[in-house]
Amino acid sequence: MIDPFKETMLPLAKAARKVPGRTVSPQTLYRWHSVGIDGITLETIVIGGRMQTSQEALARFFAAVTEAKQSAATRDVDAGERPEHIRRKLEAAGLV
């Protein structure tokens, strides 16, 4: 949870300009807050009627999304869970 007294607060427009690597719009940050990525949402709070996030919340969000993507990519699929046609192709190629 964002602590506005300990974290560097940013309106979504300024936070969008702080995203490293590419240009994103404030609407993208709002979407990350409301919809999220892979079930992970960006933390925001309302201060003075304006939605804000923090540099630290952005860092937590990016770390959580990265971890989720990496764990999904490295998840082992049990051979018994493979669809039959894929199992046959793998066996024919001598891979299982």
Side-chain angles (χ1 to χ4, degrees):
M1 174 165 238
I2 293 175
D3 183 345
F5 298 104
K6 293 182 180 177
E7 298 185 23
T8 306
M9 300 308 303
L10 300 166
L12 295 187
K14 284 188 179 180
R17 293 191 297 269
K18 298 261 185 194
V19 173
R22 67 180 191 137
T23 303
V24 298
S25 70
Q27 290 82 3
T28 298
L29 272 69
Y30 180 78
R31 193 169 39 256
W32 289 347
H33 158 73
S34 60
V35 177
I37 299 174
D38 295 333
I40 299 160
T41 58
L42 175 64
E43 299 170 78
T44 63
I45 60 174
V46 177
I47 299 175
R50 299 182 85 193
M51 186 177 292
Q52 298 193 23
T53 191
S54 69
Q55 285 184 292
E56 296 82 359
L58 282 169
R60 289 189 294 268
F61 176 74
F62 296 143
V65 169
T66 300
E67 183 179 327
K69 297 265 186 205
Q70 288 175 343
S71 66
T74 59
R75 197 175 304 133
D76 289 335
V77 176
D78 183 7
E81 296 177 14
R82 291 190 183 111
E84 184 63 27
H85 71 283
I86 294 174
R87 189 186 59 73
R88 283 195 305 268
K89 285 182 181 180
L90 291 172
E91 284 177 353
L95 298 173
V96 289

